[in-house]
Amino acid sequence: MASVYPDYDLLTPSAVPGYIAAQPTLARLVDPETAVATEVGDGNLNLVFVCRDSRGSGLCLKQALPYVRLVGASWPLTPDRAAAEARSLTLAQAAAPETVPTLYAFDHDRFILAMQDLSDWTVWRTVLNRGEILEGVADAIGRYVARMTFASSFGIEGSEMRVLAAAASNPHLARITEDLVFTEPYIDHPRNSFDSALDQTVESMRQDEALLSEVSELKYRFMTVGEALIHGDLHTGSVMVRAVGSGADARVIDPEFSCFGPVGFDLGAVIGNLLLAQARAHVLGRGEAYIGRLQGHADVLWEAFRFELESLWPRRADRHLHEGHLARWLEGVWADAVGFAGCKAVRRIVGLAKASDVAGLPTPLRVPAAAITLMTATTWIRERSTLTSPIALREVFGRSVEAVAA
Ligand code: SR1
Ligand code: MG
């Protein structure tokens, strides 16, 4: 099928050294004469090449395909998302450089980002799936969200913020989120899939008026609230991690869904994906202590986010924003995060693009893990205004585990 987007050359492993040779900035980092490239993309959308030379220097080239890789050419998708990723990474290089990969170059014509090679790092979801805990990751993500929020919102003049928001509108990617996260799981849709043992659970979810009303509220907030430049797809597969001493380093990747949106969407995405990890840990019998540590990541994420923003708050651009505004705003962000966490988790069980935490389990374990996730997530969504702390989220998980076992 012919692409609806203007033609551009797609990279191949054998073309990568030549591409690097033609760009002095990149040729200084990796020797094109000895460079060898491998395509390592395992995500839903893009080509990703890791290229290393004989000295062991490397870089990563990520090229946006003109369609959704997961589905194929029948679902065209704007490669302009690479510009959204470059915009977010560029802001992060200044605001939170230690939490993102270094961006070396962006090729606007071929939609290619040249970035730091993180192939020695591991996807956080993979670490969690193995049952390992890395302290320091949730903390880094909380700081990342706070600093990106400040750099694109409270830290700049209103007029500058509006210009940035207009440039970052990213409507095609936002539409994917609106459809896949907020609409399709709640209707009968050909892109959905789930175990037939969950038919009744999913059907009751779709009949639950209180839930549907809250999901609509969250969807409309996602569509209309532009608090700051958010990442837009901050799941545990969008974070690369590496153990360092007794702690860990983390790098947030893949901000191609970035747009101005509600800040709770990013925090909720992390919390919702940690719920999948908890459900997996429960059915694998990894024990209460381990699950408690996973739940602790949500506390750490929130506290790091809050602490960082409180530290930055005295430097806000608009001195007329009342001293107490931050505390009031944070309350709303938490309530949003709880609801968005629920929506993100439901989507990974019912909708398109599953997460390996639950989807990778054998059927006898996958079904209860999915049921626990759905019960917890839908309760979080319905009761988000009264679940005012991370501890309250844990209690819902505990009750859901008991209900599914009964
Ligand atoms: C059609 S794209 C499917 C999903 O991949 C990305 O990771 C986003 O989560 C998106 O919804
Ligand atoms: Mg992604």
Side-chain angles (χ1 to χ4, degrees), residues 76-101:
L77 182 60
T78 175
D80 273 342
R81 61 189 187 273
E85 179 155 352
R87 182 180 301 110
S88 171
L89 280 174
T90 301
L91 186 75
Q93 305 294 300
E98 76 289 1
T99 60
V100 290

Side-chain angles (χ1 to χ4, degrees), residues 7 51 82 96 108 127 129 150 159 166 183 201 209 214 224 239 248 275 291 343 350:
D7 257 1
C51 186
H108 292 84
V127 171
N129 280 352
F150 195 79
S159 50
T183 303
T201 308
E209 294 297 330
E214 209 57 54
T224 59
V239 184
L275 169 58
I291 293 173
C343 293
V350 178

Side-chain angles (χ1 to χ4, degrees), residues 185-188 199-213 378 382:
Y186 304 94
I187 58 174
D188 188 14
D199 281 355
Q200 236 180 342
T201 308
V202 172
E203 192 46 38
S204 356
M205 182 182 92
R206 290 177 180 164
Q207 303 293 331
D208 182 339
E209 294 297 330
L211 176 78
L212 298 179
S213 164
T378 50
R382 260 194 319 266

Side-chain angles (χ1 to χ4, degrees), residues 44-45 68 70-71 75 77 176-177 180-181 232-233 235 238 256-257 344 347-348 352-353:
N44 298 326
L45 300 176
V68 174
L70 172 71
V71 174
W75 187 347
L77 182 60
I176 288 180
T177 301
L180 268 58
V181 176
D233 196 25
H235 52 81
S238 295
E256 64 215 303
F257 280 76
K344 294 289 259 186
R347 159 284 156 96
R348 293 289 182 197
L352 183 74

Side-chain angles (χ1 to χ4, degrees), residues 131 277-291 361 365 368-369 372:
Q278 288 161 53
R280 174 186 179 86
H282 173 75
V283 299
L284 288 174
R286 286 186 171 149
E288 291 302 308
Y290 177 73
I291 293 173
L361 293 166
L365 300 181
I372 290 167

Side-chain angles (χ1 to χ4, degrees), residues 62-287:
K62 175 174 174 181
Q63 184 174 36
L65 288 163
Y67 54 85
V68 174
R69 183 175 185 164
L70 172 71
V71 174
S74 62
W75 187 347
L77 182 60
T78 175
D80 273 342
R81 61 189 187 273
E85 179 155 352
R87 182 180 301 110
S88 171
L89 280 174
T90 301
L91 186 75
Q93 305 294 300
E98 76 289 1
T99 60
V100 290
T102 308
L103 176 65
Y104 302 129
F106 174 51
D107 178 342
H108 292 84
D109 300 325
R110 291 179 66 190
F111 310 101
I112 299 170
L113 297 121
M115 293 177 285
Q116 181 183 359
D117 170 23
L118 297 176
S119 53
D120 292 344
W121 298 51
T122 310
V123 174
W124 193 23
R125 192 188 300 286
T126 306
V127 171
L128 295 168
N129 280 352
R130 291 200 294 242
E132 293 165 19
I133 294 283
L134 284 178
E135 300 297 350
V137 175
D139 184 77
I141 302 172
R143 266 185 288 122
Y144 163 83
V145 177
R147 290 195 194 165
M148 291 297 280
T149 297
F150 195 79
S152 60
S153 177
F154 297 119
I156 58 178
E157 296 292 341
S159 50
E160 197 185 337
M161 188 176 161
R162 285 178 188 278
V163 170
L164 182 55
S169 68
N170 211 358
H172 297 90
L173 280 282
R175 175 64 196 263
I176 288 180
T177 301
E178 287 151 24
D179 290 346
L180 268 58
V181 176
F182 297 109
T183 303
E184 293 173 12
Y186 304 94
I187 58 174
D188 188 14
H189 193 281
R191 283 199 284 246
N192 292 331
S193 60
F194 48 87
D195 287 298
S196 56
L198 298 169
D199 281 355
Q200 236 180 342
T201 308
V202 172
E203 192 46 38
S204 356
M205 182 182 92
R206 290 177 180 164
Q207 303 293 331
D208 182 339
E209 294 297 330
L211 176 78
L212 298 179
S213 164
E214 209 57 54
V215 171
S216 289
E217 172 73 14
L218 289 158
K219 179 182 185 181
Y220 195 64
R221 285 187 66 68
F222 176 77
M223 290 165 64
T224 59
V225 173
E227 291 171 331
L229 186 70
I230 62 170
H231 178 286
D233 196 25
L234 191 45
H235 52 81
T236 52
S238 295
V239 184
M240 302 298 288
V241 298
R242 188 176 65 168
V244 180
S246 58
D249 250 359
R251 297 284 182 274
V252 174
I253 60 167
D254 288 354
E256 64 215 303
F257 280 76
S258 71
C259 59
F260 269 66
V263 170
F265 189 77
D266 278 353
L267 298 164
V270 181
I271 295 169
N273 278 268
L274 287 170
L275 169 58
L276 299 172
Q278 288 161 53
R280 174 186 179 86
H282 173 75
V283 299
L284 288 174
R286 286 186 171 149

Side-chain angles (χ1 to χ4, degrees), residues 9-30:
D9 285 338
L10 294 180
L11 282 172
T12 58
S14 59
V16 166
Y19 180 81
I20 292 174
Q23 299 200 49
T25 321
L26 304 185
R28 273 194 290 275
L29 297 166
V30 168

